[in-house]
């Protein structure tokens, strides 16, 4: 897949939104700040709340406690991820407002124009997904990483876990990496092409729960999504 050169730099934010995005350093600072707030603040607040519940409700101290599944990885992920998205949305809106534009315009929250273009990207996404699955099978790996299988096995609420993994996490990550960070870095000497590579590398590194093979797949997915963002 060919990415645009520096002469076709993103964002066509100015064309698509009527308002330029923040510069590279401001975008990086906002992205790091939002990531830290969502990861640390939400974890501390919700974690502290879960730890304090037994003191408020002594019956929860008895074992087995109904609280036990929610303080394990699957339960915490089910609670923390939607909460991080809600907090992140507030912060993303603030970033856009400070720049003098709307949330939808700044983060290009819109359907792609042209039925043919949409069909091509959907087909490309399908091909990429099939190729990744075939590669996993051909190397003797399960279709789902063990970490993901463990989450669904031990989830106290499958619907809530589904919302966290399939809805909340992707929205949060796309707004952070392709919505905020990528357009800002593309306004630097990196240009669009290398900004896609850099943001995809960071995107893969934050998924440290995966093994190197799966992190490489995450990197490839990041490049694909980045290309879709800048084209």
């Amino acid at each position: 897949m060919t990415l645009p050169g520096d002469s076709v730099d993103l964002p066509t934010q100015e064309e698509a939104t009527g308002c330029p995005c923040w510069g590279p350093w401001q975008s990086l600072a906002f992205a790091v700040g939002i990531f830290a707030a969502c990861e640390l603040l939400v974890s501390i607040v919700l974690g502290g709340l879960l730890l304090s519940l037994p003191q408020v409700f002594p019956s929860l101290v008895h074992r087995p406690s109904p609280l036990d599944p929610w303080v394990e990885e699957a339960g915490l992920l089910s609670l923390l991820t939607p909460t991080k998205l809600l907090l992140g949305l507030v912060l993303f809106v603030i970033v856009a407002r400070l720049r003098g534009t709307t949330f939808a315009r700044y983060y290009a929250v819109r359907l792609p124009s042209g039925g043919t273009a949409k069909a091509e990207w959907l087909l490309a996404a399908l091909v990429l997904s099939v190729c990744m699955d075939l590669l996993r099978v051909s190397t003797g790996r399960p279709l789902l990483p063990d970490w993901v299988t463990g989450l669904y096995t031990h989830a106290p609420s499958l619907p809530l876990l589904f919302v966290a993994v399939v809805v909340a996490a992707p929205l949060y990550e796309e707004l952070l990496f392709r919505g905020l960070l990528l357009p800002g870095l593309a306004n630097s000497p990196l240009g669009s092409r290398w900004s896609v590579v850099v943001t995809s590398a960071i995107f893969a590194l934050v998924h440290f729960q995966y093994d190197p093979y799966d992190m490489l797949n995450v990197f490839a997915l990041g490049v694909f999504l980045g290309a879709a963002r800048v084209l």
Side-chain angles (χ1 to χ4, degrees):
M1 181 177 295
T2 301
L3 296 180
D6 294 345
S7 60
V8 194
D9 271 343
L10 188 138
T12 34
Q13 281 284 82
E14 295 193 35
E15 298 176 6
T17 71
C19 180
C21 67
W22 290 99
W25 292 110
Q26 297 97 328
S27 298
L28 181 61
F30 280 129
V32 171
I34 292 175
F35 182 81
C38 292
E39 298 296 327
L40 298 179
L41 184 61
V42 170
S43 299
I44 290 173
V45 171
L46 276 185
L49 177 62
L50 290 173
L51 291 175
S52 66
L53 280 178
Q55 299 176 9
V56 180
F57 303 100
S59 61
L60 294 176
V61 177
H62 301 298
R63 292 291 183 263
S65 166
L67 192 63
D68 289 344
W70 295 102
V71 296
E72 295 178 356
E73 187 174 24
L76 284 174
L77 184 68
S78 300
L79 294 173
L80 294 179
T81 306
T83 308
K84 285 192 291 187
L85 174 62
L86 293 176
L87 175 60
L89 285 173
V90 173
L91 297 176
F92 288 127
V93 169
I94 292 174
V95 169
R97 289 296 185 183
L98 288 174
R99 193 59 175 167
T101 187
T102 64
F103 171 85
R105 286 181 175 180
Y106 191 95
Y107 300 98
V109 182
R110 66 186 189 279
L111 292 174
S113 59
T116 303
K118 286 186 284 188
E120 289 176 350
W121 280 108
L122 287 173
L123 179 60
L126 178 62
V127 170
L128 178 63
S129 178
V130 171
C131 288
M132 285 182 171
D133 286 345
L134 289 176
L135 188 58
R136 292 190 68 87
V137 172
S138 66
T139 55
R141 295 173 177 272
L143 284 177
L144 290 177
D146 294 338
W147 178 78
V148 176
T149 303
L151 287 179
Y152 284 94
T153 302
H154 300 96
S157 170
L158 282 177
L160 186 56
L161 180 66
F162 180 87
V163 170
V165 173
V166 179
V167 180
L171 283 175
Y172 167 71
E173 291 175 353
E174 288 311 300
L175 287 169
L176 182 66
F177 289 99
R178 260 68 64 177
L180 175 58
L181 189 57
L182 176 56
L185 292 183
N187 280 340
S188 74
L190 286 173
S192 297
R193 181 178 302 164
W194 284 106
S195 294
V196 168
V197 175
V198 170
T199 54
S200 299
I202 301 173
F203 180 59
L205 289 175
V206 300
H207 289 81
F208 55 85
Q209 68 271 29
Y210 295 125
D211 62 24
Y213 175 86
D214 288 314
M215 289 178 70
L216 186 60
N217 280 344
V218 172
F219 173 78
L221 178 62
V223 171
F224 174 81
L225 294 172
R229 177 69 175 88
V230 302
L231 289 177

